[in-house]
Amino acid sequence: MVGAAVMAAGLAVSMATPASASPARSQAPARAQVWHQVTANGMENFADVGLVVGSHDALNVIWTSGGNSGGRAAVMDTPVTFAGNVGHAATVASGGFLYTDPEATQTAGGIDAVWNGIQTNPGPQGSFVASRGAGGGSWSSPAVVPPLTAIAFTNDADTAATGSDGKPWVAFSSGSALTVDHVGQAERQLTQSSCCVIDPGLAVDGRSGATWIAYRSISTGHEGVFLRPLHQNGTAAGAAQLLPGSRVRGNTLPLVERVAITGRGHGRTGAYVAYLTGYPFGLGIDLLRAGTHKAEKVASTSSAHQFAGVALAANSGGGLWVAWSNGDGSAPGLTVRESNNAVT
């Protein structure tokens, strides 16, 4: 799933063309890039949105409006066609006391939107899941996954992915704990520390069904970006792996965005995570295949032009797009690099 903070304000009209079998390459745009606003004014500049391909060749942008306004929180769905046309926002849910930044995932029946929140105060709280059919139409009333007793609520963004059984995975952080739920199974607390385990991302191997969670830890003595396999019931299937280059002299970059991780689509092997390396500046973009230990350097820079964020998505051929932004305070820049379909 794309690290969606980059997408919160707008989208380019000229959308990327599908990957070919050739290696990453530089292409001149077919036409000028024009940016259009997708969400409402007033959102935080680090807001995470959910991105999912829905029906009719469109990207659905799922976002929260009025998240801290009691009784006025809403989750919205703005469609963007592959030609870059921005449609009218539809309401997924409204009238909430507090909603967090949502996520979205494609299922066999359509798409699911997931967020954490409090519907009324006092009232239902936990993770909420709403669905919409593959052919479009209105959103279902959200179902609620009750929270664990020890974790009544979190204001951290949810992350989601679709499991091999067609049911969504959901994960979120409450700071000291990381909570995972494979919908239909019991909610699980995966980690526990004094502080802090944050910014999780989920991905599923499209062939084996293996599920992976990536997250950032800023706990003393355990800093860095970590990757961990999960059993289908949400419990850990192995030890957490520190990703190379994500810890520098006991420090890691404390970004406010989901760790960028994705599978390659149904029937295709592999899950991949892209992340920033370096400290106190983001000086590299690394890509690692889950289950391996050697990362590939996708990009590098100097402290004069440090990176600020990274996003990752698979295309229809099984290749990957890696996108990153610069963070040196000069004119903003966004760079995209494409792999071949074998991700070699």
Side-chain angles (χ1 to χ4, degrees):
M1 174 57 64
V2 172
V6 176
M7 309 291 286
L11 289 170
V13 164
S14 295
M15 305 297 279
T17 56
S20 72
S22 62
R25 61 201 182 280
S26 176
Q27 285 183 294
R31 56 195 171 104
Q33 301 292 315
V34 179
W35 291 85
H36 288 265
Q37 185 168 328
V38 175
T39 65
N41 290 332
M43 290 181 66
E44 296 168 315
N45 62 2
F46 54 83
D48 258 331
V49 301
L51 300 174
V52 63
V53 175
S55 61
H56 309 302
D57 293 331
L59 179 74
N60 291 79
V61 184
I62 313 297
W63 50 282
T64 297
S65 173
N68 289 311
S69 301
R72 295 190 294 275
V75 175
M76 308 298 294
D77 167 21
T78 302
V80 181
T81 70
F82 288 177
N85 300 314
V86 179
H88 295 291
T91 300
V92 179
S94 62
F97 178 77
L98 195 156
Y99 291 159
T100 62
D101 292 335
E103 177 65 298
T105 185
Q106 188 179 53
T107 65
I111 57 177
D112 283 0
V114 181
W115 64 96
N116 217 273
I118 302 172
Q119 184 60 37
T120 57
N121 190 29
Q125 60 181 285
S127 292
F128 293 85
V129 183
S131 302
R132 201 205 66 183
S138 59
W139 285 87
S140 69
S141 297
V144 61
V145 179
L148 294 169
T149 303
I151 310 172
F153 175 68
T154 177
N155 58 5
D156 192 45
D158 279 28
T159 185
T162 299
S164 57
D165 60 355
K167 297 180 180 179
W169 284 83
V170 181
F172 59 88
S173 167
S174 61
S176 61
L178 188 62
T179 300
V180 176
D181 178 49
H182 190 176
V183 173
Q185 311 237 17
E187 197 169 77
R188 310 280 182 173
Q189 186 173 310
L190 190 64
T191 63
Q192 178 68 57
S193 63
S194 57
C195 179
C196 296
V197 181
I198 55 177
D199 305 332
L202 285 164
V204 176
D205 185 303
R207 178 167 293 179
S208 70
T211 303
W212 299 83
I213 188 166
Y215 57 90
R216 183 173 290 105
S217 172
I218 54 176
S219 301
T220 301
H222 300 279
E223 298 87 350
V225 178
F226 289 83
L227 183 65
R228 195 167 198 179
L230 300 174
H231 291 299
Q232 293 301 301
N233 65 1
T235 57
Q241 174 190 352
L242 173 67
L243 300 190
S246 66
R247 178 193 295 167
V248 178
R249 296 183 296 277
N251 296 289
T252 191
L253 292 167
L255 302 179
V256 186
E257 62 177 17
R258 302 178 185 103
V259 176
I261 183 171
T262 187
R264 297 174 56 230
H266 181 69
R268 297 192 177 97
T269 59
Y272 291 79
V273 57
Y275 59 100
L276 291 178
T277 61
Y279 189 89
F281 307 117
L283 301 180
I285 307 291
D286 277 16
L287 180 73
L288 182 138
R289 178 171 172 162
T292 68
H293 295 274
K294 184 177 180 180
E296 180 170 352
K297 185 69 64 180
V298 176
S300 59
T301 188
S302 68
S303 58
H305 301 284
Q306 62 263 24
F307 300 137
V310 59
L312 181 66
N315 63 27
S316 59
L320 297 180
W321 291 99
V322 184
W324 60 92
S325 56
N326 69 300
D328 59 357
S330 64
L334 178 65
T335 303
V336 181
R337 189 173 182 188
E338 178 190 11
S339 79
N340 60 11
N341 289 346
V343 198
T344 57

